[in-house]
Amino acid sequence: MPRIFDVIEWADDTGREIVRRFPEEGAGDFRLGSQLIVRESQVAVFFRDGRALDVFGPGRHTLTTANIPLLINLLGPLFSGRSPFTAEVYFVSTREFVDLKWGTPDPIVVRNPGMGLGVVLLQGHGTFAVQVRDPQLFVNKIVGVQRLYETERIVDYLRSILVSKLADVVGNFNRPVVDLAGFFEELGAAVRAKAQEDFGALGLDLKAFYVQSLRPSSKTVEELRAMGLLDVQTYAQLQAADALREAAQQELGGLAAAGVGAGAGFGLAQFFTQLFQGMTRPAAPTGPTPAPEIMTVEEAAAYLKVSPEDIVQLIESGQLKARKIGTTYRISRAAIEEFMKGG
């Protein structure tokens, strides 16, 4: 036998819930004459068949055909005043929710023409504040359309809107990426203005949006390549940097091994200096791309216009100097030029 509720109320002891469904599962069975208790900073909305109907503000209300006309019209004539009717009640908090967290689950891709890869991947986080402005519209859109009423899922949905707007704002900021850190307040105001219409359509007011951090992503080389943001040459350079870093960090024993470690460390520092200069210096408008200071076997083969097998044979015969790191060779441009001189 279904449970019939004669008292309908909700007390939020945490102060963190935006909306609470009553009952938590299934449809509520109520009867005319039931008591509805709505606390301060709350609104109660009756909901049935996908529609938000009658709305009650703070106070104690006795349910009658007079104060739930939309619900009664939807149900049709009741058999008697004591006959139960089914509906759901959503208690909506109208207080301001502050210090809600947002973050970028995936990096924001921002164009950075003439510098490095030509794009920058940014990750950020911050806070925002919202308040329900129109409880009936909020229940219709969030509960009726989005099928959401758990607070965390609602906040997740709002975060996705904000991150999308942030990506638009940053992409059209018309300032160098390195200057963004000095404009967090302006970025926050721009995102709030851009998102206000979307929040208003949900019955919400976006009270504040703050950017606390916006920095380059820590995505790996493989992830960048999978995203289609690296050309073959840049990918090879970054792979070489990773290999040199691993070689320099290996624990090596003995005087000879220590010399190898020092050499690898020196080569790493030189390589990163060259790589950093190449990725931060604006690209030349025209002209051929110079050969890298440190090359793979394939790059050396392309530079000399021979096959990779010929390069390996020259290295193994001792005619071309190279350093073996793991299972791969790295050849300096200076070594190739020395070889071409017949030295």
Side-chain angles (χ1 to χ4, degrees), residues 237-265:
Q237 287 180 317
L238 294 176
Q239 286 287 71
D242 287 343
L244 286 169
R245 182 187 299 109
E246 292 175 4
Q249 291 176 346
Q250 288 178 353
E251 293 185 3
L252 302 174
L255 293 177
V260 172

Side-chain angles (χ1 to χ4, degrees), residues 28-263:
D29 291 284
F30 310 113
R31 68 171 92 240
L32 294 178
S34 297
Q35 297 294 299
L36 172 66
I37 301 172
V38 184
R39 289 173 166 76
E40 291 296 326
S41 300
Q42 284 184 358
V43 171
V45 180
F46 276 84
F47 187 87
R48 182 183 169 93
D49 295 339
R51 293 170 54 195
L53 301 168
D54 302 294
V55 180
F56 294 83
R60 179 184 287 268
H61 309 272
T62 300
L63 300 184
T64 67
T65 56
N67 59 18
I68 51 172
L70 297 178
L71 183 57
I72 294 300
N73 290 340
L74 181 66
L75 293 173
L78 296 174
F79 293 106
S80 69
R82 296 188 58 81
S83 296
F85 59 90
T86 59
E88 303 156 27
V89 178
Y90 287 90
F91 288 92
V92 180
S93 175
T94 57
R95 71 180 186 83
E96 184 176 340
F97 287 84
V98 299
D99 202 33
L100 299 175
K101 310 295 184 184
W102 68 267
T104 51
D106 295 308
I108 298 172
V109 180
V110 180
R111 293 185 180 279
N112 195 29
M115 300 291 288
L117 303 178
V119 294
V120 175
L121 276 69
L122 298 176
Q123 288 185 307
H125 66 268
T127 61
F128 67 102
V130 297
Q131 186 173 23
V132 177
R133 183 181 62 195
D134 185 334
Q136 187 170 0
L137 178 60
F138 174 75
V139 171
N140 266 325
K141 294 295 185 179
I142 293 296
V143 177
V145 177
Q146 298 297 328
R147 305 292 183 184
L148 304 174
Y149 59 86
E150 298 93 343
T151 297
E152 189 54 38
R153 291 184 63 197
I154 294 171
V155 174
D156 281 344
Y157 178 67
L158 300 180
R159 287 189 191 111
S160 67
I161 297 174
L162 292 170
V163 171
S164 173
K165 302 302 180 184
L166 176 64
D168 288 345
V169 168
V170 173
N172 294 285
F173 199 56
N174 295 324
R175 287 183 179 274
V177 170
V178 294
D179 293 342
L180 289 179
F183 291 91
F184 283 176
E185 186 173 346
E186 289 82 354
L187 287 172
V191 171
R192 184 187 172 205
K194 195 173 185 67
Q196 198 65 264
E197 183 177 350
D198 293 70
F199 275 61
L202 299 172
L204 293 167
D205 185 12
L206 179 59
K207 307 293 287 188
F209 180 84
Y210 299 107
V211 179
Q212 296 176 336
S213 173
L214 201 59
R215 55 182 173 74
S217 168
S218 58
K219 283 284 186 182
T220 66
V221 173
E222 291 294 343
E223 288 171 314
L224 291 173
R225 187 188 190 194
M227 296 173 70
L229 298 176
L230 292 181
D231 56 34
V232 175
Q233 181 176 350
T234 305
Y235 175 71
Q237 287 180 317
L238 294 176
Q239 286 287 71
D242 287 343
L244 286 169
R245 182 187 299 109
E246 292 175 4
Q249 291 176 346
Q250 288 178 353
E251 293 185 3
L252 302 174
L255 293 177
V260 172

Side-chain angles (χ1 to χ4, degrees), residues 286-328:
T286 58
T289 302
E293 290 291 331
I294 298 177
M295 306 183 205
T296 63
V297 169
E298 290 74 13
E299 289 172 333
Y303 184 62
L304 293 177
K305 296 182 173 56
V306 296
S307 70
E309 290 76 13
D310 292 333
I311 296 296
V312 173
Q313 184 177 0
L314 289 172
I315 292 172
E316 292 178 348
S317 67
Q319 298 178 66
L320 177 62
K321 295 180 181 179
R323 184 180 298 278
K324 190 171 187 179
I325 302 173
T327 59
T328 61

